[in-house]
């Protein structure tokens, strides 16, 4: 039997790479829930921490000066911790594989996306385009096509697609295709498109409300706080309807800045 690679392969291939809750929503929902009529599909929250490796996680590393992360540890204690797992060492390939269910050699997203021009070690040029937002098998599209009534949102860092370079005088920046989250299957997006913000307290926010692009809007709210507030508002607005939320925090990616004092659980000296 021929199997199509990616989220569109088979139900088992789709659920194997992400979450148990996703499997309940997309595999055989009625069978898993005993065929109960009127049952509501589960809500799905997928949180991505940017550049947060096992070397700084108390769940995997027991030596050295490990920053405390009590909420992450609590989630692990009450859920499932994978001891045999593999991930890309950079941000874009990791999220590209999650959203498509494909390896980097299939998505052709094997490096973090850069502005057009710079070469990678060995003289290689990074692929400029990122994922194919027209791919019918992205994670949010599969959930929506299942006919279970999901509303989808992506909040935080995008960094999955780029457009051509800006005209001369654009500072070598990337001209992003600002409705790409919508084209990839998300009903709502709020965050930023680049690999990082220049300042956690001073950055430009973009919003996709469907195909409508709002921004960039200069924002001085600490990025993690803004992203969590956006997530809470999205969830609250869904009522009893099922939702899928891709919450891609840019923390703890650089620049390395102390958060607001009310978010710091212990005394940290700013050196």
């Amino acid at each position: 039997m021929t199997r199509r690679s990616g989220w569109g392969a088979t139900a088992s291939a789709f659920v194997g790479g992400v979450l148990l809750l996703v499997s309940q929503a997309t595999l055989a929902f009625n069978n898993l829930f005993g065929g109960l009529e009127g049952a509501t599909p589960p809500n799905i929250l997928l949180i991505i921490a940017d550049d947060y490796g096992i070397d700084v996680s108390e769940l995997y590393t027991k030596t050295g000066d490990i920053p405390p992360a009590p909420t992450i540890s609590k989630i692990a204690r009450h859920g499932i911790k994978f001891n045999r797992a593999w991930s890309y060492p950079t941000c874009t390939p990791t999220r590209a594989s999650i959203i498509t269910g494909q390896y980097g050699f299939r998505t052709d997203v094997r490096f973090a996306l850069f502005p057009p021009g710079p070469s990678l070690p060995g003289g290689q040029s990074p692929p400029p385009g990122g994922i194919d937002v027209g791919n019918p098998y992205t994670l949010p599209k599969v959930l929506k096509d299942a006919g279970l009534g999901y509303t989808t949102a992506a909040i935080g860092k995008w960094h999955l697609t780029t457009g051509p370079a800006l005209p001369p005088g654009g500072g070598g920046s990337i001209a992003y295709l600002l409705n790409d989250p919508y084209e990839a299957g998300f009903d709502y997006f709020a965050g930023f498109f680049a690999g990082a913000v220049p300042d956690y307290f001073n950055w430009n926010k973009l919003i996709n409300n469907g195909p409508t692009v709002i921004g960039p809007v200069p924002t001085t709210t600490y990025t993690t706080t803004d992203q969590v507030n956006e997530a809470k508002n999205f969830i609250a607005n869904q009522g009893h309807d099922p939702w899928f939320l891709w919450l891609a925090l840019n923390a703890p990616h650089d620049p390395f800045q102390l958060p607001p004092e009310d978010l710091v659980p212990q005394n940290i000296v700013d050196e």
Side-chain angles (χ1 to χ4, degrees):
M1 179 177 68
T2 301
R3 296 181 61 184
R4 189 182 289 120
S5 62
W7 292 130
T10 64
S12 59
F14 172 58
V15 301
V18 187
L19 298 169
L20 179 61
L21 286 178
V22 174
S23 71
Q24 294 171 342
T26 60
L27 225 177
F29 180 78
N30 288 335
N31 291 336
L32 287 172
F33 285 81
L36 297 176
E37 293 185 5
T40 302
N43 299 320
I44 304 169
L45 172 61
L46 174 60
I47 302 174
I48 303 173
D50 201 6
D51 287 0
Y52 181 76
I54 62 173
D55 57 320
V56 294
S57 171
E58 61 185 358
L59 297 175
Y60 296 95
T61 302
K62 302 302 180 184
T63 59
D65 186 15
I66 303 299
T71 301
I72 294 177
S73 297
K74 181 178 179 181
I75 292 173
R77 287 196 304 270
H78 294 279
I80 299 173
K81 183 184 78 170
F82 291 96
N83 291 315
R84 296 183 180 181
W86 178 86
S87 175
Y88 290 93
T90 52
C91 49
T92 311
T94 298
R95 60 194 69 218
S97 289
I98 293 175
I99 199 172
T100 63
Q102 297 177 318
Y103 289 112
F105 75 89
R106 295 192 183 277
T107 63
D108 202 28
V109 181
R110 293 162 287 160
F111 309 99
L113 295 181
F114 291 93
S119 296
L120 297 169
Q124 302 178 77
S125 296
I131 65 168
D132 175 13
V133 295
N135 181 350
Y137 299 117
T138 64
L139 179 52
K141 287 181 182 178
V142 170
L143 287 172
K144 294 173 77 68
D145 290 347
L148 298 172
Y150 275 95
T151 299
T152 59
I155 291 172
K157 174 177 170 177
W158 179 246
H159 205 211
L160 280 166
T161 52
T162 66
L166 288 171
S173 300
I174 296 177
Y176 291 94
L177 306 180
L178 299 183
N179 65 340
D180 274 359
Y182 172 74
E183 296 295 335
F186 291 106
D187 299 307
Y188 181 77
F189 168 81
F192 63 96
F193 280 68
V197 293
D199 188 312
Y200 272 68
F201 297 89
N202 187 9
W203 54 287
N204 289 325
K205 180 177 179 180
L206 286 161
I207 295 174
N208 283 177
N209 191 4
T212 303
V213 177
I214 303 172
V217 179
T219 305
T220 56
T221 302
Y222 183 65
T223 54
T224 305
T225 299
D226 183 87
Q227 292 156 6
V228 171
N229 288 342
E230 282 278 2
K232 292 166 63 177
N233 290 338
F234 169 78
I235 292 171
N237 289 335
Q238 303 316 305
H240 297 292
D241 297 327
W243 47 263
F244 167 62
L245 174 55
W246 169 287
L247 179 56
L249 304 171
N250 60 300
H253 195 289
D254 66 355
F256 302 119
Q257 297 171 287
L258 288 177
E261 290 185 2
D262 60 322
L263 297 182
V264 180
Q266 64 180 26
N267 292 328
I268 298 178
V269 178
D270 185 2
E271 300 179 351

